[in-house]
Short mmCIF file of all heavy atoms in Angstrom, two decimals:
data_model
loop_
_atom_site.label_atom_id
_atom_site.label_comp_id
_atom_site.label_asym_id
_atom_site.label_seq_id
_atom_site.Cartn_x
_atom_site.Cartn_y
_atom_site.Cartn_z
N MET B 21 114.88 79.37 96.25
CA MET B 21 113.71 79.87 95.79
C MET B 21 113.72 81.32 95.29
O MET B 21 114.36 82.17 95.85
CB MET B 21 112.58 79.78 96.90
CG MET B 21 111.22 80.22 96.42
SD MET B 21 110.20 80.56 97.72
CE MET B 21 109.54 78.88 97.99
N THR B 22 113.17 81.54 94.09
CA THR B 22 113.31 82.83 93.49
C THR B 22 112.17 83.81 94.01
O THR B 22 111.13 83.35 94.53
CB THR B 22 113.10 82.64 91.85
OG1 THR B 22 113.57 83.89 91.33
CG2 THR B 22 111.73 82.30 91.54
N GLN B 23 112.36 85.07 93.73
CA GLN B 23 111.39 86.04 94.25
C GLN B 23 110.11 85.81 93.56
O GLN B 23 109.08 86.04 94.10
CB GLN B 23 111.93 87.45 93.96
CG GLN B 23 113.10 87.92 94.89
CD GLN B 23 113.58 89.31 94.51
OE1 GLN B 23 113.40 89.68 93.28
NE2 GLN B 23 114.15 90.02 95.46
N ALA B 24 110.22 85.56 92.25
CA ALA B 24 109.01 85.31 91.36
C ALA B 24 108.21 84.15 91.92
O ALA B 24 107.02 84.24 91.94
CB ALA B 24 109.34 85.26 89.93
N GLU B 25 108.92 83.14 92.23
CA GLU B 25 108.29 81.98 92.83
C GLU B 25 107.59 82.25 94.12
O GLU B 25 106.36 81.81 94.41
CB GLU B 25 109.20 80.78 92.90
CG GLU B 25 108.52 79.38 93.17
CD GLU B 25 109.61 78.37 93.29
OE1 GLU B 25 110.73 78.46 92.81
OE2 GLU B 25 109.23 77.28 93.80
N LEU B 26 108.33 82.81 95.05
CA LEU B 26 107.79 83.24 96.26
C LEU B 26 106.49 84.01 96.16
O LEU B 26 105.49 83.84 96.67
CB LEU B 26 108.64 84.02 97.16
CG LEU B 26 108.28 84.45 98.45
CD1 LEU B 26 107.64 83.45 99.30
CD2 LEU B 26 109.30 85.21 99.27
N ALA B 27 106.58 85.05 95.16
CA ALA B 27 105.55 85.91 94.99
C ALA B 27 104.24 85.11 94.60
O ALA B 27 103.07 85.29 95.02
CB ALA B 27 105.78 87.03 93.90
N ASP B 28 104.56 84.14 93.63
CA ASP B 28 103.48 83.27 93.20
C ASP B 28 102.89 82.47 94.22
O ASP B 28 101.68 82.23 94.33
CB ASP B 28 104.04 82.40 92.05
CG ASP B 28 102.95 81.80 91.27
OD1 ASP B 28 102.17 82.58 90.71
OD2 ASP B 28 102.82 80.60 91.03
N ARG B 29 103.79 81.75 95.07
CA ARG B 29 103.20 80.92 96.13
C ARG B 29 102.39 81.67 97.23
O ARG B 29 101.57 81.09 97.74
CB ARG B 29 104.50 80.20 96.78
CG ARG B 29 105.23 79.33 95.83
CD ARG B 29 105.13 77.93 96.39
NE ARG B 29 106.45 77.45 96.71
CZ ARG B 29 106.69 76.65 97.78
NH1 ARG B 29 105.71 76.43 98.63
NH2 ARG B 29 107.77 76.18 97.98
N VAL B 30 102.85 82.89 97.52
CA VAL B 30 102.10 83.59 98.43
C VAL B 30 100.84 84.37 97.87
O VAL B 30 99.98 84.59 98.62
CB VAL B 30 102.99 84.73 98.98
CG1 VAL B 30 102.39 85.66 100.04
CG2 VAL B 30 104.25 84.11 99.64
N GLY B 31 100.80 84.50 96.67
CA GLY B 31 99.76 85.13 95.97
C GLY B 31 99.86 86.65 95.88
O GLY B 31 98.99 87.52 96.11
N LEU B 32 101.20 87.10 95.73
CA LEU B 32 101.47 88.53 95.61
C LEU B 32 102.26 88.75 94.35
O LEU B 32 102.54 87.81 93.64
CB LEU B 32 102.42 88.93 96.88
CG LEU B 32 101.77 88.82 98.24
CD1 LEU B 32 102.80 89.14 99.25
CD2 LEU B 32 100.64 89.82 98.35
N THR B 33 102.60 89.96 94.07
CA THR B 33 103.29 90.31 92.86
C THR B 33 104.79 90.31 93.30
O THR B 33 105.13 90.49 94.50
CB THR B 33 103.04 91.74 92.29
OG1 THR B 33 103.27 92.66 93.30
CG2 THR B 33 101.53 91.70 91.90
N ARG B 34 105.72 90.28 92.31
CA ARG B 34 107.12 90.29 92.53
C ARG B 34 107.53 91.54 93.17
O ARG B 34 108.35 91.65 93.89
CB ARG B 34 107.78 90.04 91.13
CG ARG B 34 109.27 89.59 91.32
CD ARG B 34 109.69 89.11 89.97
NE ARG B 34 109.55 90.31 88.91
CZ ARG B 34 110.42 91.17 88.66
NH1 ARG B 34 111.49 91.26 89.47
NH2 ARG B 34 110.20 92.09 87.70
N GLN B 35 106.97 92.58 92.72
CA GLN B 35 107.29 93.96 93.18
C GLN B 35 107.07 93.97 94.76
O GLN B 35 107.77 94.62 95.51
CB GLN B 35 106.31 95.00 92.61
CG GLN B 35 106.25 95.01 91.10
CD GLN B 35 107.11 96.10 90.77
OE1 GLN B 35 108.05 96.49 91.40
NE2 GLN B 35 106.96 96.48 89.46
N THR B 36 106.01 93.43 95.18
CA THR B 36 105.71 93.58 96.59
C THR B 36 106.81 92.76 97.42
O THR B 36 107.20 93.33 98.43
CB THR B 36 104.30 92.86 96.94
OG1 THR B 36 103.47 93.75 96.03
CG2 THR B 36 103.95 93.07 98.35
N ILE B 37 107.18 91.53 96.92
CA ILE B 37 108.15 90.84 97.58
C ILE B 37 109.44 91.64 97.68
O ILE B 37 110.18 91.72 98.77
CB ILE B 37 108.50 89.48 96.82
CG1 ILE B 37 107.28 88.63 96.83
CG2 ILE B 37 109.65 88.81 97.55
CD1 ILE B 37 106.74 88.19 98.20
N ILE B 38 109.86 92.22 96.53
CA ILE B 38 111.08 93.10 96.50
C ILE B 38 111.12 94.21 97.47
O ILE B 38 111.91 94.38 98.30
CB ILE B 38 111.34 93.70 95.18
CG1 ILE B 38 111.58 92.46 94.07
CG2 ILE B 38 112.41 94.65 95.11
CD1 ILE B 38 111.71 92.99 92.66
N ALA B 39 109.97 94.90 97.63
CA ALA B 39 109.77 96.02 98.44
C ALA B 39 109.95 95.58 99.91
O ALA B 39 110.48 96.20 100.81
CB ALA B 39 108.46 96.68 98.15
N ILE B 40 109.21 94.51 100.28
CA ILE B 40 109.15 94.01 101.66
C ILE B 40 110.64 93.56 102.05
O ILE B 40 111.12 93.83 102.99
CB ILE B 40 108.24 92.77 101.74
CG1 ILE B 40 106.77 93.37 101.64
CG2 ILE B 40 108.47 92.19 103.09
CD1 ILE B 40 105.84 92.20 101.55
N GLU B 41 111.20 92.73 101.10
CA GLU B 41 112.57 92.24 101.34
C GLU B 41 113.55 93.31 101.52
O GLU B 41 114.44 93.16 102.33
CB GLU B 41 113.00 91.45 100.13
CG GLU B 41 114.08 90.33 100.45
CD GLU B 41 114.29 89.37 99.28
OE1 GLU B 41 113.29 88.65 98.96
OE2 GLU B 41 115.39 89.42 98.66
N GLN B 42 113.29 94.42 100.97
CA GLN B 42 114.30 95.64 101.07
C GLN B 42 113.95 96.44 102.27
O GLN B 42 114.50 97.48 102.52
CB GLN B 42 114.30 96.53 99.86
CG GLN B 42 115.00 95.67 98.73
CD GLN B 42 114.94 96.42 97.42
OE1 GLN B 42 115.69 96.13 96.61
NE2 GLN B 42 114.04 97.43 97.37
N GLY B 43 112.86 96.12 102.94
CA GLY B 43 112.38 96.99 104.05
C GLY B 43 111.85 98.27 103.69
O GLY B 43 111.77 99.27 104.42
N ARG B 44 111.39 98.45 102.44
CA ARG B 44 110.78 99.72 102.07
C ARG B 44 109.50 100.00 102.74
O ARG B 44 109.04 101.08 103.00
CB ARG B 44 110.71 99.84 100.61
CG ARG B 44 112.01 100.10 99.98
CD ARG B 44 111.88 100.85 98.64
NE ARG B 44 112.03 99.94 97.56
CZ ARG B 44 111.13 99.71 96.62
NH1 ARG B 44 110.13 100.42 96.52
NH2 ARG B 44 111.49 98.91 95.63
N TYR B 45 108.63 98.90 103.04
CA TYR B 45 107.55 99.15 103.97
C TYR B 45 107.25 97.73 104.66
O TYR B 45 107.71 96.74 104.09
CB TYR B 45 106.31 99.61 103.27
CG TYR B 45 105.97 98.98 101.92
CD1 TYR B 45 105.47 97.67 101.94
CD2 TYR B 45 106.10 99.58 100.69
CE1 TYR B 45 105.16 97.05 100.69
CE2 TYR B 45 105.74 99.14 99.49
CZ TYR B 45 105.30 97.82 99.43
OH TYR B 45 104.93 97.15 98.34
N SER B 46 106.48 97.77 105.62
CA SER B 46 106.15 96.57 106.27
C SER B 46 104.83 96.04 105.77
O SER B 46 103.94 96.75 105.52
CB SER B 46 106.06 96.79 107.80
OG SER B 46 104.86 97.44 108.05
N PRO B 47 104.86 94.81 105.47
CA PRO B 47 103.54 94.15 104.96
C PRO B 47 102.38 94.23 105.87
O PRO B 47 102.54 94.48 107.06
CB PRO B 47 103.95 92.73 104.68
CG PRO B 47 104.84 92.36 105.62
CD PRO B 47 105.70 93.68 105.82
N SER B 48 101.27 93.88 105.34
CA SER B 48 100.07 93.68 106.27
C SER B 48 100.36 92.38 107.03
O SER B 48 101.13 91.67 106.70
CB SER B 48 98.82 93.56 105.41
OG SER B 48 98.73 92.36 104.76
N LEU B 49 99.60 92.34 108.14
CA LEU B 49 99.74 91.15 108.98
C LEU B 49 99.36 89.88 108.22
O LEU B 49 99.96 88.86 108.42
CB LEU B 49 98.81 91.30 110.28
CG LEU B 49 98.81 90.24 111.31
CD1 LEU B 49 100.35 89.92 111.75
CD2 LEU B 49 98.10 90.53 112.39
N GLU B 50 98.37 90.03 107.41
CA GLU B 50 97.85 88.85 106.59
C GLU B 50 99.07 88.39 105.68
O GLU B 50 99.22 87.06 105.67
CB GLU B 50 96.66 89.19 105.83
CG GLU B 50 95.95 88.03 105.24
CD GLU B 50 94.40 88.26 105.03
OE1 GLU B 50 93.96 89.40 105.37
OE2 GLU B 50 93.80 87.46 104.47
N VAL B 51 99.64 89.19 105.04
CA VAL B 51 100.70 88.92 104.00
C VAL B 51 101.85 88.41 104.85
O VAL B 51 102.46 87.35 104.52
CB VAL B 51 101.17 90.23 103.21
CG1 VAL B 51 102.50 89.98 102.74
CG2 VAL B 51 99.96 90.56 102.23
N ALA B 52 102.19 88.97 105.98
CA ALA B 52 103.25 88.44 106.79
C ALA B 52 102.97 87.00 107.22
O ALA B 52 103.94 86.13 107.17
CB ALA B 52 103.47 89.35 108.05
N PHE B 53 101.71 86.67 107.55
CA PHE B 53 101.46 85.27 108.03
C PHE B 53 101.63 84.45 106.75
O PHE B 53 102.21 83.24 106.85
CB PHE B 53 99.94 85.20 108.41
CG PHE B 53 99.83 85.42 109.90
CD1 PHE B 53 99.07 86.31 110.53
CD2 PHE B 53 100.40 84.37 110.84
CE1 PHE B 53 98.86 86.47 111.85
CE2 PHE B 53 100.24 84.48 112.14
CZ PHE B 53 99.55 85.62 112.68
N LYS B 54 101.18 84.76 105.59
CA LYS B 54 101.23 83.91 104.42
C LYS B 54 102.68 83.59 104.09
O LYS B 54 103.06 82.49 103.69
CB LYS B 54 100.62 84.61 103.32
CG LYS B 54 99.02 84.61 103.31
CD LYS B 54 98.66 85.20 101.99
CE LYS B 54 97.06 85.41 102.04
NZ LYS B 54 96.65 86.31 100.90
N ILE B 55 103.51 84.59 104.16
CA ILE B 55 104.97 84.44 103.84
C ILE B 55 105.60 83.49 104.81
O ILE B 55 106.23 82.57 104.50
CB ILE B 55 105.75 85.82 103.95
CG1 ILE B 55 105.27 86.68 102.78
CG2 ILE B 55 107.23 85.62 103.82
CD1 ILE B 55 105.81 87.99 102.74
#
Side-chain angles (χ1 to χ4, degrees):
Chain B
M21 181 191 276
T22 195
Q23 287 177 337
E25 190 181 340
L26 174 56
D28 198 53
R29 293 245 241 142
V30 176
L32 298 172
T33 61
R34 194 168 59 84
Q35 301 266 20
T36 303
I37 297 298
I38 293 174
I40 293 171
E41 202 168 295
Q42 291 176 163
R44 279 205 263 126
Y45 50 68
S46 75
S48 70
L49 183 54
E50 191 156 0
V51 164
F53 268 120
K54 284 185 190 168
I55 292 176

